[in-house]
Amino acid sequence: MEPNQLFGKDTMNAPWGLASRLKLVLLACSFFSATNPASNHKALGKEQPNGGNAEPLTGHDFHITGTNRDGAAVAGTGLVVHPCFVLTCRHVLSDMKEVDEQQTFQGQAYTVNNESVHAHPKVDVAVMRVNGPPLSPLKGAIFQAPVVAQTVYTLGYPKLPGLREASVTMQQGAVTNQSVTSLNGDSLFLYSAVSRPGNSGGPVMSDDGYIAGLSIVDATGQYQQNDAFSPHYAGIPAQVVVKAVADLDLGIQLPIENYE
């Protein structure tokens, strides 16, 4: 192969040889790499957003703390979706008798109170207004309805005994059912990524970066006393979350990919 030749003598009119196919794969891996997109934007003639490369997702976006009716410290997970609002599940906040007035998001202190909570009356979705410097919403976070067999990850702050500080954790799994209805009539989806108490309100993210929904509850249990049970975990599908937030009429527009 010549030094300046991208591919061999193969053409699209004939089967490609191994050398050409390998070259194409390596070029694709380099072009779609998230670690160095600057050259890719230049090649496409587009401006590089924020003047730098993609930054890793940090746990500072998510942790919500408070106390329950017994006075014990409890916590949940949320997602920054607006400079003034954090998205979470309604039950994360309603299960707290008091939401801690001082919260830390993205490494900065913010003030909240129970009056800051805007909860949807029918869907387990809520947003919490915070007072302080503008938050930085998760860049590129686009919602997309879950699909069966899609690889997903839970991200949040489950309760982990024996650790001094709350730690963000990630678990991998797959969507096992994209649309189910609970006994209460709630529209849910099921996935196998582990979701522990404390994960509620956190994102269930696909391996290509979309938010498939919010984590809410697990469906662990047994059919009969001696029957094995494989746990499945439930979440609120992305399209339901987007509509519920729009219903709150707070000026928050969550982007959703529906290929229309």
Side-chain angles (χ1 to χ4, degrees):
M1 188 179 297
E2 296 297 328
N4 296 326
Q5 203 173 349
L6 284 179
F7 303 107
K9 296 179 180 180
D10 307 312
T11 70
M12 294 301 293
N13 297 321
W16 282 27
L18 178 60
S20 292
R21 284 182 285 173
L22 177 60
K23 185 73 173 182
L24 178 62
V25 170
L26 294 176
L27 287 170
C29 289
S30 173
F31 186 84
F32 290 107
S33 172
T35 59
N36 187 29
S39 60
N40 302 338
H41 281 79
K42 183 179 179 180
L44 293 171
K46 292 185 176 294
E47 183 180 352
Q48 170 71 12
N50 305 313
N53 294 328
E55 297 180 356
L57 192 63
T58 67
H60 295 303
D61 291 340
F62 303 103
H63 204 203
I64 301 172
T65 60
T67 55
N68 63 17
R69 287 161 181 77
D70 296 326
V74 292
T77 304
L79 184 63
V80 176
V81 295
H82 183 275
C84 299
F85 290 104
V86 177
L87 171 68
T88 187
C89 283
R90 181 182 62 198
H91 79 268
V92 169
L93 301 173
S94 64
D95 288 350
M96 296 178 182
K97 181 181 179 181
E98 294 291 340
V99 177
D100 287 345
E101 184 177 349
Q102 297 297 321
Q103 302 276 344
T104 300
F105 297 107
Q106 300 176 338
Q108 299 188 83
Y110 291 85
T111 302
V112 301
N113 53 51
N114 288 334
E115 286 68 42
S116 303
V117 175
H118 301 266
H120 195 280
K122 296 181 179 179
V123 183
D124 190 7
V125 166
V127 293
M128 180 174 65
R129 178 183 287 274
V130 298
N131 300 310
L135 292 163
S136 298
L138 183 61
K139 298 179 180 67
I142 300 176
F143 288 74
Q144 185 183 54
V147 178
V148 167
Q150 181 181 40
T151 300
V152 292
Y153 303 84
T154 56
L155 190 65
Y157 285 88
K159 185 177 181 180
L160 299 174
L163 297 185
R164 180 171 295 178
E165 68 283 331
S167 299
V168 64
T169 64
M170 178 178 284
Q171 294 282 337
Q172 182 183 19
V175 174
T176 57
N177 194 311
Q178 64 191 33
S179 180
V180 297
T181 305
S182 73
L183 293 175
N184 296 326
D186 299 326
S187 297
L188 305 173
F189 74 105
L190 301 179
Y191 54 91
S192 60
V194 176
S195 184
R196 303 179 181 90
N199 272 108
S200 289
V204 181
M205 304 186 73
S206 67
D207 59 353
D208 50 0
Y210 290 102
I211 298 176
L214 298 183
S215 176
I216 53 167
V217 295
D218 71 312
T220 56
Q222 288 183 320
Y223 299 111
Q224 299 293 335
Q225 184 174 358
N226 297 321
D227 290 342
F229 183 87
S230 178
H232 290 257
Y233 304 90
I236 308 172
Q239 68 275 20
V240 176
V241 174
V242 170
K243 184 179 184 306
V245 171
D247 289 344
L248 294 175
D249 197 23
L250 297 170
I252 305 172
Q253 293 183 339
L254 300 182
I256 184 166
E257 176 61 82
N258 53 20
Y259 300 108
E260 292 183 355

